[in-house]
Amino acid sequence: MTTESPSSAGSLGDLLPKEAVAAKVEVEDWRAAVVAAGDLLVETGSTTPAYTDQMLAALDKYGPYIVIAPGFALAHAQASDDVLSTGMSFISLSEPVEFGHDTNDPVQLVAGLASKDHDAHMAALQQLAMFLSTADTMEQLQQAATAEELCAVLGLGDSGSSAD
């Protein structure tokens, strides 16, 4: 029995490649926002396009349960064969969109999560929760104009240089 260990594949940096980060994505509605996050999961090899359809179907069935913090949605669906490897994506939207959540709308930041099991992604989610619990960090994420700026705020990559 082989599983991904949280120490080797559970940190935010391990599960969220720079290629899965996009800034100021233009979308018309919450569906397009989820599709944009799902497309990055597909492009980085974490899922098939069918997983994005499953994320949308879950929202249709359960409502905006993925809007877990003010301005932030965690797009995901149940583990399935359409998850090729545990991974994440992260986008900021050029303009916030309504998901229909009573208290946490509108949403400007969307993370996509694809998990092969319930344990492999827990450390990454804990790190992400720390970012989201700080108003200053949330503002930095919302204001980031480029994917590189988002990556810097999220602590992704090994570059110590700054381009201000």
Side-chain angles (χ1 to χ4, degrees):
M1 177 160 101
T2 305
T3 60
E4 298 176 51
S5 77
S7 61
S8 67
S11 75
L12 193 58
D14 291 335
L15 297 182
L16 180 58
K18 290 181 189 180
E19 299 79 21
V21 177
K24 303 300 179 191
V25 176
E26 292 187 25
V27 299
E28 292 185 20
D29 57 20
W30 65 265
R31 285 185 176 280
V34 171
V35 168
D39 286 349
L40 289 173
L41 290 171
V42 172
E43 289 172 21
T44 54
S46 290
T47 68
T48 70
Y51 183 75
T52 301
D53 295 337
Q54 292 165 17
M55 292 192 293
L56 292 168
L59 279 161
D60 287 337
K61 183 173 183 178
Y62 300 113
Y65 74 100
I66 68 168
V67 184
I68 60 172
F72 178 78
L74 180 64
H76 63 283
Q78 291 185 351
S80 74
D81 290 339
D82 294 305
V83 176
L84 306 175
S85 64
T86 299
M88 295 181 74
S89 63
F90 193 94
I91 63 171
S92 67
L93 303 176
S94 60
E95 295 294 329
V97 296
E98 299 283 332
F99 274 69
H101 194 279
D102 290 339
T103 57
N104 292 335
D105 269 344
V107 169
Q108 190 170 0
L109 302 170
V110 180
L113 173 65
S115 184
K116 292 288 284 179
D117 62 52
H118 285 71
D119 297 324
H121 62 283
M122 291 311 294
L125 287 180
Q126 289 171 342
Q127 285 182 279
L128 192 57
M130 286 180 20
F131 286 118
L132 300 174
S133 67
T134 307
D136 184 51
T137 304
M138 283 291 290
E139 184 176 336
Q140 289 177 33
L141 290 168
Q142 291 169 340
Q143 298 299 321
T146 66
E148 292 77 17
E149 289 177 16
L150 281 174
C151 287
V153 176
L154 292 168
L156 303 178
D158 52 5
S159 173
S161 65
S162 174
D164 285 320

